[in-house]
Amino acid sequence: MKQIIALASVALMMAACGNSEKDFDATGTFEATETTVYAEQSGALLTFDVNEGDALALGREVALIDTTQTWLKIRQLAATKEVFQSQKPDMERQIAATRQQLAKAQQDERRYKELVADGAAPSKMLDDATSQVKVLQRQLDAQISSLSTSTRALDKQMAAADVQVSQLRDMLRKCHVVTPIGGTVLEKYVERGEFVSIGKPLFKLADTENMFLRAYVTSSQLQNIRLGQKVKVFADFGGQQKRAYDGTVSWISARSEFTPKTILTDDERADLVYAVKVAFRNDGFVKIGMYGELKF
């Protein structure tokens, strides 16, 4: 009878040892790419359509910072540009009189040249006519140069105003806060109506659709892991409830570190482990910070 009891005890122990074998190679926690959205302009937060837990699409406008002062500056610059435009000289009109005088002097010069050639007029009259043509030509060149310089200066001032308008329109665009990624709102830091300044955090987003499991493996396991390798990811919901996902090794740490206290490894005697990331597509059940398992 004692022999039977002893054999039964050994059999139970062996069965227990067999059941204690782990069905995973590494464990870790689930993480997601998190992005904090900051205010790019200062002003009152006129609208703020963000709540924790909201699923936001990429490029969705969720907030508006007061744009009044920016719009007023744009209108002011538009008026300034119109003033510059009105100050641009009408070159042809302003030099028309000088051109006419020059044309008359050139006509007189030709007439006196013919008279002098025929001996009907003294050469001094031709010299005076030629001198008058040169004086009027210099006057015309000076007027054109002066008017051209003034026009170029006003054109540059108008171009500078256009640059300022472009800067203000960029500031205006930044008053419309849009989501840089699609994801779930983790935290919100402000409320509608508050005054925000440049660089103030507004809310935090996480891409909970494309998540990854950060796990730790020993050096003996590392030799069997490579980037792009297909693996199985298990989300542990507790109470023996698990959910499996297809994952891909997307990152392997280049340096070792001491075993984190909350991490289990296949060889618990190992002091140094390597972090790996396994990317997978979440179906909405996995949450950030949950424990998961990894099977190579």
Side-chain angles (χ1 to χ4, degrees):
M1 186 66 181
K2 290 182 178 180
Q3 277 187 324
I4 296 175
I5 294 175
L7 289 172
S9 299
V10 171
L12 287 172
M13 290 175 63
M14 292 178 64
C17 291
N19 291 335
S20 64
E21 185 180 352
K22 295 177 294 185
D23 58 354
F24 56 86
D25 295 314
T27 64
T29 54
F30 290 102
E31 299 178 359
T33 302
E34 299 181 3
T35 301
T36 301
V37 179
Y38 296 86
E40 296 185 81
Q41 292 299 316
S42 298
L45 203 57
L46 300 182
T47 62
F48 191 51
D49 186 20
V50 171
N51 293 296
E52 293 179 356
D54 286 352
L56 303 178
L58 169 67
R60 174 180 168 183
E61 183 175 330
V62 294
L64 176 64
I65 300 172
D66 188 10
T67 61
T68 304
Q69 294 302 316
T70 306
W71 268 116
L72 290 175
K73 289 178 181 178
I74 290 176
R75 292 182 62 183
Q76 181 182 21
L77 283 172
T80 301
K81 185 178 177 180
E82 289 182 1
V83 171
F84 291 150
Q85 182 65 40
S86 66
Q87 290 176 348
K88 290 179 67 173
D90 187 341
M91 185 179 297
E92 291 303 320
R93 286 188 177 183
Q94 294 193 31
I95 64 176
T98 306
R99 280 190 186 279
Q100 188 173 3
Q101 291 175 358
L102 178 60
K104 178 66 169 59
Q106 289 172 337
Q107 184 179 6
D108 291 343
E109 182 185 26
R110 287 193 296 270
R111 184 184 309 117
Y112 286 127
K113 188 177 294 184
E114 293 175 357
L115 290 175
V116 169
D118 293 339
S123 59
K124 183 178 182 304
M125 296 183 67
L126 177 60
D127 293 340
D128 291 342
T130 302
S131 176
Q132 182 67 14
V133 168
K134 291 180 180 180
V135 169
L136 290 173
Q137 184 64 57
R138 292 193 185 97
Q139 288 181 355
L140 180 61
D141 293 341
Q143 282 182 328
I144 292 175
S145 176
S146 176
L147 293 172
S148 297
T149 301
S150 178
T151 300
R152 286 195 298 269
L154 290 169
D155 285 339
K156 289 181 180 180
Q157 288 178 311
M158 292 173 65
D162 287 336
V163 172
Q164 291 179 333
V165 169
S166 297
Q167 290 174 334
L168 289 170
R169 290 194 180 279
D170 181 65
M171 294 170 60
L172 196 65
R173 178 186 60 80
K174 291 177 179 178
C175 287
H176 297 262
V177 181
V178 298
T179 53
I181 63 171
T184 303
V185 179
L186 300 182
E187 299 178 68
K188 60 183 295 188
Y189 307 113
V190 295
E191 297 291 341
R192 177 182 176 183
E194 290 187 33
F195 183 89
V196 296
S197 56
I198 297 177
K200 183 178 180 63
L202 303 178
F203 60 96
K204 182 186 290 186
L205 273 175
D207 183 2
T208 54
E209 185 174 350
N210 300 292
M211 295 182 64
F212 53 88
L213 174 68
R214 178 189 288 268
Y216 292 83
V217 298
T218 62
S219 56
S220 61
Q221 292 175 308
L222 188 63
Q223 62 184 345
N224 299 319
I225 304 172
R226 65 184 185 278
L227 289 177
Q229 181 178 343
K230 302 299 181 182
V231 297
K232 275 292 182 182
V233 175
F234 299 92
D236 189 351
F237 295 91
Q240 301 299 320
Q241 296 183 7
K242 297 183 180 180
R243 199 175 185 91
Y245 300 90
D246 293 324
T248 304
V249 177
S250 60
W251 173 79
I252 302 174
S253 177
R255 63 178 62 185
S256 62
E257 55 187 284
F258 286 101
T259 308
K261 297 299 182 183
T262 58
I263 299 299
L264 299 175
T265 65
D266 191 47
D267 183 5
E268 295 179 358
R269 294 172 300 175
D271 292 326
L272 296 176
V273 292
Y274 294 83
V276 297
K277 285 184 180 180
V278 177
F280 69 99
R281 195 169 186 83
N282 185 18
D283 55 3
F285 289 95
V286 179
K287 307 299 181 185
I288 297 173
M290 284 178 54
Y291 284 97
E293 298 170 354
L294 186 58
K295 186 70 175 176
F296 297 115

